[in-house]
């Protein structure tokens, strides 16, 4: 079974750094794009970017370019989303997703990681 | 960027009703559209891909169609477990974009 398991909820202060993770299992991790989707409280879904773990090629949404960094460690089948300096507006649920080979929709989804940024 | 305009933003319906949700793309996306269902406190789940292909395991009461840049998700005979929020997503070009969502509520 293809699964994406994300790291647990985080509570951080503005200005702090953070790296959350997404571990893939049940498939060849290096052969599929992995992405991240943001959902702010009570709001809709926003695509942030994707990475191809096989060669670490990345694509970002212009809305998130320069705001976050997506990376992957193929030796442990894990993708990451990181911030160098969090803002209160980064408070949201973050989902990792897998893209089927050759297509740009998302299946499956991780269970989500809630990030709360508050002073 | 391709804008996805989803309507209605909410709909009240009863068990057994037929529900139709529409998504309009701001430019042509061929059939590169997906639909997702999200229940409260849960991650979204893929229902339909390529505008009309049913994801494995999804009940056949869900269907998708396309007419030009207009896309429709139809739920025939709404079941209690179908009360959720539904999102469309264009998969044609980057940046990938979602519709604003449609909440299907109990009447």
């Amino acid at each position: 079974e293809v699964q994406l398991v994300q790291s647990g909820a985080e509570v951080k202060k503005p200005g702090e750094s953070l790296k959350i993770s997404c571990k893939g299992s049940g498939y060849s991790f290096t052969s599929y794009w992995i992405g991240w989707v943001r959902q702010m409280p009570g709001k809709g879904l926003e695509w942030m970017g994707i990475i191809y773990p096989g060669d670490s090629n990345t694509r970002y949404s212009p809305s998130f370019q320069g705001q976050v960094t997506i990376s992957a460690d193929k030796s442990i089948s894990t993708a990451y989303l990181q911030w160098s300096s969090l803002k209160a507006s980064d408070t949201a649920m973050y989902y990792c997703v897998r893209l089927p080979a050759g297509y740009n929709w998302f299946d499956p989804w991780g269970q989500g990681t809630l990030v709360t940024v508050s002073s | 960027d391709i804008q996805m305009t989803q309507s209605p933003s909410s709909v009240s319906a009863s068990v057994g009703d037929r529900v139709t949700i529409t998504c309009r793309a701001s430019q042509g996306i061929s059939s590169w559209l997906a639909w997702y269902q999200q229940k409260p406190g849960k991650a979204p789940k893929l229902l339909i891909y390529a505008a009309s292909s049913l994801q494995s395991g999804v009940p056949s009461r869900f269907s998708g169609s396309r007419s030009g840049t207009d896309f429709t998700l139809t739920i025939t005979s709404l079941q209690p477990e179908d009360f959720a929020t539904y999102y469309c997503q264009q998969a044609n070009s980057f940046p990938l974009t979602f519709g604003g969502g449609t909440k299907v509520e109990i009447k």
Side-chain angles (χ1 to χ4, degrees):
Chain A
E1 179 195 5
V2 175
Q3 268 195 308
L4 299 174
V5 178
Q6 298 183 229
S7 50
E10 302 274 1
V11 179
K12 292 289 190 178
K13 292 182 171 19
E16 291 186 332
S17 63
L18 176 65
K19 192 174 190 176
I20 62 175
S21 67
C22 169
K23 184 173 176 62
S25 63
Y27 71 100
S28 174
F29 185 73
T30 55
S31 300
Y32 294 83
W33 291 82
I34 290 272
W36 291 91
V37 174
R38 183 176 80 174
Q39 187 167 39
M40 298 178 77
K43 302 299 184 183
L45 304 171
E46 302 172 271
W47 173 70
M48 302 176 72
I50 53 175
I51 186 166
Y52 191 75
D55 60 8
S56 292
N57 187 16
T58 54
R59 296 198 69 149
Y60 291 91
S61 164
S63 299
F64 293 94
Q65 178 85 48
Q67 308 304 307
V68 297
T69 301
I70 296 172
S71 61
D73 184 342
K74 58 187 178 184
S75 70
I76 54 172
S77 301
T78 300
Y80 301 96
L81 177 66
Q82 69 180 86
W83 296 259
S84 59
S85 181
L86 286 159
K87 303 184 280 287
S89 57
D90 293 318
T91 295
M93 182 70 80
Y94 293 88
Y95 294 102
C96 67
V97 293
R98 193 189 79 160
L99 283 68
Y103 302 103
N104 294 327
W105 42 78
F106 310 126
D107 181 68
W109 293 59
Q111 83 276 20
T113 295
L114 179 62
V115 173
T116 303
V117 184
S118 174
S119 54
Chain B
D1 298 6
I2 298 174
Q3 310 303 318
M4 303 302 296
T5 303
Q6 195 172 333
S7 61
S9 56
S10 66
V11 58
S12 293
S14 301
V15 173
D17 284 354
R18 178 187 182 96
V19 172
T20 299
I21 299 167
T22 298
C23 201
R24 173 168 291 172
S26 61
Q27 63 191 76
I29 59 169
S30 188
S31 291
W32 300 119
L33 184 106
W35 289 98
Y36 302 89
Q37 176 194 65
Q38 185 178 32
K39 296 182 179 179
K42 298 294 186 184
K45 168 189 163 185
L46 178 67
L47 296 177
I48 302 276
Y49 60 91
S52 59
S53 295
L54 197 65
Q55 175 68 347
S56 175
V58 174
S60 58
R61 62 181 179 274
F62 291 92
S63 64
S65 63
R66 169 200 170 196
S67 176
T69 57
D70 291 341
F71 299 83
T72 300
L73 173 69
T74 300
I75 313 171
T76 56
S77 190
L78 198 67
Q79 296 302 298
E81 60 268 31
D82 301 336
F83 292 96
T85 300
Y86 294 84
Y87 294 93
C88 63
Q89 177 238 326
Q90 66 84 12
N92 180 75
S93 60
F94 295 100
L96 306 175
T97 47
F98 290 90
T102 297
K103 187 173 185 179
V104 178
E105 301 174 297
I106 301 172
K107 196 171 192 178

